[in-house]
Amino acid sequence: MGEMLRYLALDGTSVKDWSTVMSSAYLLKLYQHMVLVRLYDKKAIALQRTGQLGTYPSHLGAEAIGIGTGAALEDHDTLIPYYRDMPVQWMRGVSMTHNLLYWGGDERGSDFPSLSGDFPFCVPIATQCTHAVGVATAMKLRHQRSAVLVNLGDGATSKGDFSESINLAGVWQLPVVFVINNNQWAISVPRKLQSAALTLIDKAKGAGIPGVSVDGNDVIAVYDSVKEALQRARRGLGATVIEMHSYRLSDHTTADDASRYRPEEELKAAWQAEPLLRLKQYLINARLWTDSKQHEWEQSCGRVIEDAVAQYHATMPQAPESAFDHLYAELPQELHQQRDALIQKAMRMEADNDG
Amino acid sequence: MSLLEAVNMALDYEMSRDPNVVVLGEDVAENGGVFRATQGLKQKFGFKRVMDTPLAEAMIGGVAVGMAAQGLRPVAEFQFQGFVFPAMEHIVCHAARLRNRTRGRLSCPLVYRAPFGGGIHAPEHHSESVEALFAHTPGLQVVIPSSPQRAYGLLLAAIRSNDPVMFFEPKRIYRTVKSSVENNGLALPLGQSFVLKAGRDITLVTWGALVVEAMQAATQMADQGIDIEVIDLASIKPIDMATILQSLRKTGRLLVVHEAVKTCGVGAELLARVAEEGMCLLKAPPVRLTGFDTVMPYAKNEAYNLISVGDIVEKSAQLMEDW
Ligand SMILES: Cc1ncc(C[n+]2csc(CCOP(=O)(O)OP(=O)(O)O)c2C)c(N)n1
C-alpha cells in the first residue's frame, strides 16, 4: 500500500505530530460529530426496518471520512457528494431531516439550503466526477478562489466517468479534489476484483495529478490531507486524488446481506481499526473525554436525532402534482392537462383510502 | 415458481445445454445478483462462465459485443434498467449494428438483462420504464416477460436468438407472480404476443407487471358485462400486429396500458400502427393509459404514477360508454 498518512495508531497513541493540523478542542468537536452521525445511522436503519424509511445506505465505518472531509471544506467550496455522504452533508449544514426525507422517498430531501450550490446525492455511480470537473472549470474560468470536492467509492473508480474526469482535471489543472472512500467493497465485489492496480491512486498517475494515500479511519489524517489538497486547488495548483483506506462495516444498503459474500474474520478485523474507537481512546488518555461525558453526549445526540425524526414525520406530504412542478422552469402547456389528471387521480385515491 | 426463479432456471438450462453461454455483470457471481437471478450459477458453472465484472456498464455492454462476435452467447446483467445508460453507446452504436455493418459477416448473439419498472419503493433511478428507448433502435429486439412461464420460454429464445435482445424483467412481480414452469427447454417465440383472456368488447394490450392489474380489471369488468380481451405484448420489438388486429376485428376498441411515460412511448407506436393498418376495424378512437410525462416520483409519491386496477376499470368503462 506504500506510505499512508496516519496520525493516530489503532491503540489511540499519536504516531505523528499533528499539533499544527488542529487543536485538541477541535479534534474533540470532530469526535462528537462522528458519534452523532454514527447514532443517526443506527436510527436510520431502525427506521428502515420498521417501514418508516426506504432503502438506506449505512455510513458505518465512514464517519472519519465524512466528518473530516466536511470540516476541511470552506463555505465557498462546492461539495459533489455520492449517496453515502450524509456525514459530509451534515458538516455542510444539511439537516438530518433532509436526509430522512431523501431516503424516505421525498424529493425535498435534496432541496436543502446551501451556501455554494452543493450538489444533491448522486446515485448513478461515478457520474458525479464529471459534474465536479465542470463546476471546477466554471470556478477556474471565473478566477474564483474556491475548490470542488467530489466523493466516490472504490467501485466507482472502475468507471470511465472517473478516468475521464481525472484526466481532464489534470489537463486543465482544475481546482478539484477527488476523495475515494475505499471501503474495500462495491456491493459484493471486493477491491481486488475491481482493479489490478496496487493502489487506486496509481490511477492518478496516468492522469498526471498527485495521489495521496490516507488512513480513512483517522479523522486527523483525513482532515489534513483534504485541507491541503483543497488549498492546492484554490491556489491554482490543480487537482488531487485522495484514497481513503477504510472499511464498510455494514451491509451495502438495507437491501443487502453482506454475510452472503463477506468473510466474518475480515469484518472482525476491520472493527479493530474503526474510526471512533482509537479516537475515543486518545481523547480519554489525553483527559479530554470520559465515559460519563460520552454517556451525556450520546444522550444529547439522541435528542437531536429524535427531533429530526419527529420533524420528518411531521413534514406535510408533497402534493402529488409536485411531480410536474419542478420539471421545467415553466410547465409546457400540453402538460397542464396531465397535471390536472394527476390531481384528479390523487383525489380519487384519497377518497378510496378514506372510504 | 416465481418469475425470478424462472429466469434462473432458464439460465441454468441453457448454460448446461450450450457451453458458449456465459453470464457477466456486477455482483452476478458470488452474490448471485442483487435480486438473486443468477444465484447458484457460479457454484455450478464456475467463474469462467459466471463473471463478476468491475463496476462499469460501458465496459459490460461493449465486452459482450466482443464476446458475441467470437461466437459466445453472453447474457449480461445490468443491475437496474436505470444503469443501462452508460452502455447505450455500445448497445446502440455497436451491438445493434454489427451484423448490418459487416453485411452479415459478424453478429451479436447476446442478451442484455435488466430489472425495470416501479412499485418496489426503490431509490431514484431504480423505477423507470424506458423500453421505448430501445424499441426505437433498429437492430435490437426488446422482450418483456410477465409470468414465470413466459420468462422461462422467452429468455431461452432470447439467448438462442442470433441477434441482440434487450430482456427487461418487471421487478415488481419478480416474486409475487407465481406459476408452475416445466424445465423442458422449450423456447417461446420472439415477436409474438400472447392472448391471456379472450373477450368481445375491448382489446387491452399491455406488458410487464401491469398484466396483473389488467387481468384483475378484466375480471371486474366482466361482472359489469363488459368482456375485455387481454393481450400481453411480450415482444416490444418486433411488434406482433397480427394478434392485435385480429382481436380488434372482434372488439373494435383498443386500450393500451403501460407504465412508461406517455410521450413517444410504445403506446404511441401501437396506436399509430392501428390507425395505419386497422382504422376500419375501430368503433372508437384508440386510447392509452400510461404513466405521466414526469420523472418517476420517489417512493412517497410513486403510487400516484402507477396504474391501478381502478384506473383501467375506469378507462375501459369510459371507452364503452363513449362509443
Ligand atoms: C451506474 C450504476 N451502476 C450500478 C449501480 C448499482 N450500485 C449501487 S451502489 C453500487 C456499488 C458501489 O460501490 P462503491 O463505488 O465502492 O461505493 P460504496 O457503495 O461501496 O461506498 C452499485 C453497483 C449504480 N447505482 N449506478
Side-chain angles (χ1 to χ4, degrees):
Chain A
M1 212 178 284
E3 210 34 34
M4 184 170 80
L5 184 66
R6 172 185 279 175
Y7 287 98
L8 291 183
L10 301 195
D11 64 0
T13 52
S14 292
V15 290
K16 189 171 156 77
D17 176 36
W18 50 273
S19 55
T20 56
V21 178
M22 65 173 76
S23 67
S24 297
Y26 194 69
L27 180 59
L28 179 60
K29 270 257 155 307
L30 296 187
Y31 174 72
Q32 289 179 321
H33 281 298
M34 287 163 67
V35 172
L36 176 65
V37 298
R38 176 165 291 186
L39 292 174
Y40 169 80
D41 192 72
K42 200 170 164 190
K43 180 68 188 183
I45 290 171
L47 290 172
Q48 191 280 333
R49 301 280 185 235
T50 50
Q52 301 170 71
L53 205 64
T55 303
Y56 170 82
S58 165
H59 53 249
L60 187 65
E63 295 89 351
I65 299 174
I67 299 303
T69 300
L73 279 162
E74 290 178 10
D75 287 352
H76 56 99
D77 295 327
T78 296
L79 170 69
I80 318 271
Y82 80 127
Y83 50 81
R84 212 181 286 288
D85 275 336
M86 179 274 168
V88 199
Q89 275 197 342
W90 168 252
M91 294 301 278
R92 299 286 286 166
V94 179
S95 75
M96 288 173 188
T97 304
H98 279 94
N99 190 258
L100 291 170
L101 284 169
Y102 183 83
W103 296 114
D106 185 321
E107 282 80 356
R108 290 170 300 183
S110 299
D111 183 18
F112 45 78
S114 153
L115 294 160
S116 67
D118 285 6
F119 268 45
F121 282 155
C122 183
V123 170
I125 302 291
T127 48
Q128 73 274 20
C129 299
T130 59
H131 312 147
V133 165
V135 171
T137 304
M139 285 176 173
K140 180 157 180 158
L141 290 176
R142 290 178 177 158
H143 304 291
Q144 278 166 252
R145 284 204 152 244
S146 303
V148 184
L149 188 135
V150 57
N151 283 319
L152 59 145
D154 43 303
T157 65
S158 297
K159 273 194 66 182
D161 305 60
F162 171 71
S163 302
E164 294 170 34
S165 299
I166 58 172
N167 187 58
L168 187 67
V171 174
W172 286 356
Q173 288 248 325
L174 295 173
V176 54
V177 179
F178 298 85
V179 175
I180 304 165
N181 171 359
N182 177 3
N183 62 18
Q184 312 302 331
W185 292 90
I187 309 189
S188 73
V189 180
R191 160 63 185 84
K192 68 174 187 303
L193 292 187
Q194 211 58 246
S195 169
L198 230 48
T199 76
L200 295 175
I201 53 171
D202 288 351
K203 298 187 179 202
K205 238 178 239 145
I209 58 182
V212 182
S213 186
V214 175
D215 182 343
N217 292 332
D218 177 343
V219 75
I220 309 171
V222 171
Y223 176 85
D224 186 30
S225 59
V226 174
K227 184 131 190 146
E228 188 178 321
L230 285 169
Q231 266 161 9
R232 256 177 55 83
R234 290 189 210 104
R235 284 199 203 109
L237 299 173
T240 309
V241 175
I242 305 179
E243 178 175 5
M244 302 288 186
H245 297 273
S246 152
Y247 197 88
R248 193 194 81 206
L249 294 168
S250 64
D251 295 328
H252 170 71
T253 64
T254 49
D256 175 48
D257 172 10
S259 70
R260 291 173 53 87
Y261 52 80
R262 185 175 60 189
E264 190 60 39
E265 318 80 69
E266 185 185 295
L267 179 65
K268 251 196 209 143
W271 271 105
Q272 303 307 308
E274 66 99 348
L276 271 72
L277 196 64
R278 80 181 79 169
L279 187 49
K280 182 178 175 191
Q281 205 51 56
Y282 170 82
L283 293 168
I284 288 177
N285 291 347
R287 299 185 184 284
L288 293 161
W289 198 242
T290 60
D291 281 330
S292 77
K293 279 187 180 159
Q294 174 85 14
H295 182 71
E296 269 170 47
W297 176 245
E298 284 181 4
Q299 300 263 307
S300 69
C301 289
R303 285 190 293 273
V304 172
I305 294 164
E306 286 308 329
D307 278 355
V309 174
Q311 255 190 58
Y312 163 62
H313 285 312
T315 305
M316 289 290 286
Q318 294 184 102
E321 66 271 24
S322 68
F324 284 97
D325 293 347
H326 302 281
L327 270 186
Y328 300 94
E330 206 172 314
L331 193 68
Q333 202 49 45
E334 64 163 352
L335 288 185
H336 282 277
Q337 214 183 342
Q338 283 195 24
R339 187 174 179 276
D340 290 344
L342 176 56
I343 293 172
Q344 273 175 24
K345 174 170 173 163
M347 280 164 57
R348 217 174 41 237
M349 284 168 69
E350 272 155 34
D352 287 351
N353 282 345
D354 293 344
Chain B
M1 163 172 301
S2 69
L3 201 158
L4 198 49
E5 287 162 337
V7 166
N8 185 269
M9 194 163 86
L11 289 170
D12 188 333
Y13 185 94
E14 203 55 13
M15 290 184 82
S16 306
R17 195 186 72 88
D18 179 353
N20 286 316
V21 178
V22 295
V23 164
L24 67 153
E26 293 157 12
D27 300 287
V28 297
E30 203 57 60
N31 201 27
V34 292
F35 285 101
R36 311 278 175 264
T38 54
Q39 177 156 330
L41 297 179
K42 182 223 107 186
Q43 286 73 11
K44 188 158 173 189
F45 299 102
F47 275 122
K48 286 190 175 160
R49 294 187 62 200
V50 185
M51 298 167 235
D52 270 336
T53 65
L55 202 174
E57 288 82 7
M59 173 274 293
I60 294 170
V63 161
V65 170
M67 287 174 157
Q70 280 289 314
L72 291 179
R73 288 185 177 263
V75 182
E77 175 176 301
F78 295 107
Q79 215 151 69
F80 285 89
Q81 195 187 49
F83 306 132
V84 178
F85 297 116
M88 277 306 255
E89 181 167 23
H90 296 284
I91 297 170
V92 174
C93 302
H94 299 288
R97 298 166 64 127
L98 196 61
R99 175 184 297 282
N100 185 58
R101 191 195 203 172
T102 61
R103 305 283 87 183
R105 186 172 55 82
L106 296 177
S107 66
C108 256
L110 58 79
V111 181
Y112 294 118
R113 293 180 41 244
F116 86 118
I120 65 158
H121 297 288
E124 62 174 327
H125 306 294
H126 289 70
S127 302
E128 282 78 359
S129 305
V130 293
E131 60 270 25
L133 283 180
F134 301 94
H136 198 64
T137 301
L140 293 182
Q141 301 166 90
V142 183
V143 177
I144 297 180
S146 68
S147 74
Q149 186 243 344
R150 284 189 293 288
Y152 178 80
L154 290 171
L155 184 51
L156 286 179
I159 301 173
R160 292 172 195 172
S161 164
N162 290 323
D163 288 308
V165 180
M166 306 303 302
F167 194 84
F168 295 132
E169 297 158 14
K171 60 182 177 291
R172 179 159 66 85
I173 56 168
Y174 251 162
R175 295 192 168 87
T176 54
V177 169
K178 299 201 170 168
S179 63
S180 64
V181 184
E182 210 187 321
N183 194 9
N184 54 13
L186 288 184
L188 286 167
L190 299 182
Q192 189 185 301
S193 298
F194 300 90
V195 180
L196 303 185
K197 178 193 165 300
R200 143 198 97 226
D201 298 318
I202 294 177
T203 299
L204 191 167
V205 181
T206 192
W207 52 92
L210 273 172
V211 162
V212 174
E213 281 77 11
M215 290 299 283
Q216 284 170 13
T219 309
Q220 279 190 28
M221 292 303 280
D223 295 342
Q224 300 175 30
I226 293 166
D227 198 7
I228 299 185
E229 179 145 316
V230 180
I231 297 177
D232 173 8
L233 191 64
S235 274
I236 307 298
K237 184 165 190 162
I239 285 178
D240 171 13
M241 279 313 292
T243 299
I244 295 173
L245 291 172
Q246 194 179 339
S247 171
L248 284 175
R249 268 182 205 108
K250 261 190 309 187
T251 65
R253 295 184 192 85
L254 176 68
L255 167 60
V256 178
V257 185
H258 64 65
E259 196 175 301
V261 300
K262 186 169 200 168
T263 300
C264 297
V266 176
E269 177 64 26
L270 288 172
L271 263 62
R273 295 248 197 134
V274 166
E276 285 171 353
E277 300 167 32
M279 190 69 145
C280 304
L281 306 175
L282 294 176
K283 292 185 216 159
V287 289
R288 285 177 284 173
L289 182 59
T290 70
F292 296 105
D293 281 336
T294 58
V295 174
M296 186 67 166
Y298 296 2
K300 281 249 165 74
N301 278 357
E302 185 182 25
Y304 299 118
N305 221 68
L306 295 174
I307 289 161
S308 66
V309 176
D311 294 334
I312 302 175
V313 164
E314 188 191 41
K315 195 80 174 179
S316 33
Q318 217 174 42
L319 185 57
M320 290 305 291
E321 257 170 50
D322 293 352
W323 302 88

